[in-house]
Amino acid sequence: MLNDLFQSIKIEDLIEATKETFYMTITALIGTFILGIILGLLLFLTSKDGIWKNKSFHFVVSAVVNVFRAIPFIILIFLLFPFTNFLIGTIRGPEAALPALIIGSAPFYGRLVEIALREVDRGVVEAAKAMGAKTRTIIFKVLLPESMPALISGITVTAIALIGYTAMAGAIGAGGLGSYAYYSGFMRRDFDIVFLCTVLIVIIVFIFQFIGDIIATKLDKR
């Protein structure tokens, strides 16, 4: 019965699509984490209560973050086609999806980082300042360690959004389960492929959520 239900599915293609989805998600997640931390720190440190208080710079960074957060991901992919083609040499395949995935997710995560940093006890920061700690020390020894559980929770939420982004990118040739579901499933009216790809994407989401929750729990000192 299962053979009849999933007779259109080629296991080799399904495995390859799953690998591509993991590749895009994990690679983009690393880039998003790094760029998001930088954006979040800049937003926090240049705010009115920040160590690098700078109203003009904060406004520019905040505006950039808000603009990229407001652009629908599918449109962002199209907007970045020239940049992607210049950087990667093609606009198709998993590698070509990475610039849009990172640029589309980093501003969102940057805001989550800013929120996490604002939750750090100001007394701890002030104590570090009183002991003569430099800004670099405050960032890497106080702010980031103290906010790490929230940062991990934030990157977990971002990872789940990224998985959805990879499916959208797949529909325009990026590969992965989204591409397999659209071109081999939907376009050929083989909805068993669409169904199985959906199930696999849901499972991947649960995997990332489970891992993120475990890490955040272990890092939480409360």
Side-chain angles (χ1 to χ4, degrees):
M1 183 176 178
L2 285 175
N3 289 335
D4 293 336
L5 181 61
F6 298 115
Q7 60 183 345
S8 303
I9 295 171
K10 295 180 180 178
I11 297 299
E12 300 81 8
D13 293 342
L14 186 64
I15 292 173
E16 183 63 26
T18 304
K19 286 180 179 179
E20 288 175 347
T21 294
F22 271 109
Y23 168 76
M24 287 188 286
T25 303
I26 293 171
T27 306
L29 197 62
I30 294 170
T32 297
F33 183 77
I34 295 170
L35 186 55
I37 289 290
I38 293 171
L39 289 172
L41 282 169
L42 289 175
L43 287 168
F44 176 74
L45 294 173
T46 60
S47 63
K48 62 180 182 179
D49 299 321
I51 300 172
W52 296 339
K53 182 180 178 181
N54 189 317
K55 188 176 181 180
S56 299
F57 188 81
H58 183 269
F59 175 81
V60 171
V61 176
S62 183
V64 170
V65 167
N66 289 338
V67 166
F68 279 99
R69 285 178 63 205
I71 301 174
F73 181 70
I74 194 71
I75 296 176
L76 181 63
I77 294 176
F78 297 141
L79 287 174
L80 291 176
F81 268 172
F83 174 71
T84 300
N85 193 45
F86 170 77
L87 191 66
I88 308 296
T90 180
I91 59 172
R92 299 183 68 84
E95 289 80 11
L98 294 177
L101 289 171
I102 294 171
I103 293 173
S105 301
F108 172 74
Y109 183 56
R111 283 297 185 189
L112 295 181
V113 171
E114 180 190 15
I115 293 170
L117 294 173
R118 291 191 184 282
E119 291 177 355
V120 175
D121 188 351
R122 291 191 62 83
V124 178
V125 178
E126 293 300 327
K129 285 182 183 179
M131 290 187 290
K134 296 180 180 179
T135 302
R136 181 178 177 182
T137 303
I138 292 173
I139 292 172
F140 291 103
K141 298 293 185 180
V142 179
L143 289 174
L144 293 180
E146 289 292 324
S147 62
M148 193 54 68
L151 295 179
I152 296 300
S153 295
I155 200 64
T156 302
V157 172
T158 307
I160 292 169
L162 266 172
I163 295 168
Y165 288 167
T166 65
M168 281 188 272
I172 56 173
L177 289 168
S179 182
Y180 188 53
Y182 183 73
Y183 289 106
S184 298
F186 177 75
M187 295 294 287
R188 298 177 183 177
R189 295 296 186 267
D190 289 329
F191 290 102
D192 51 345
I193 293 178
V194 177
F195 174 76
L196 189 55
C197 287
T198 302
V199 171
L200 286 173
I201 289 172
V202 171
I203 291 172
I204 293 171
V205 166
F206 275 109
I207 290 171
F208 274 88
Q209 185 69 60
F210 178 72
I211 294 172
D213 288 345
I214 288 177
I215 295 174
T217 301
K218 287 188 175 182
L219 291 174
D220 196 340
K221 300 174 183 177
R222 292 173 295 179

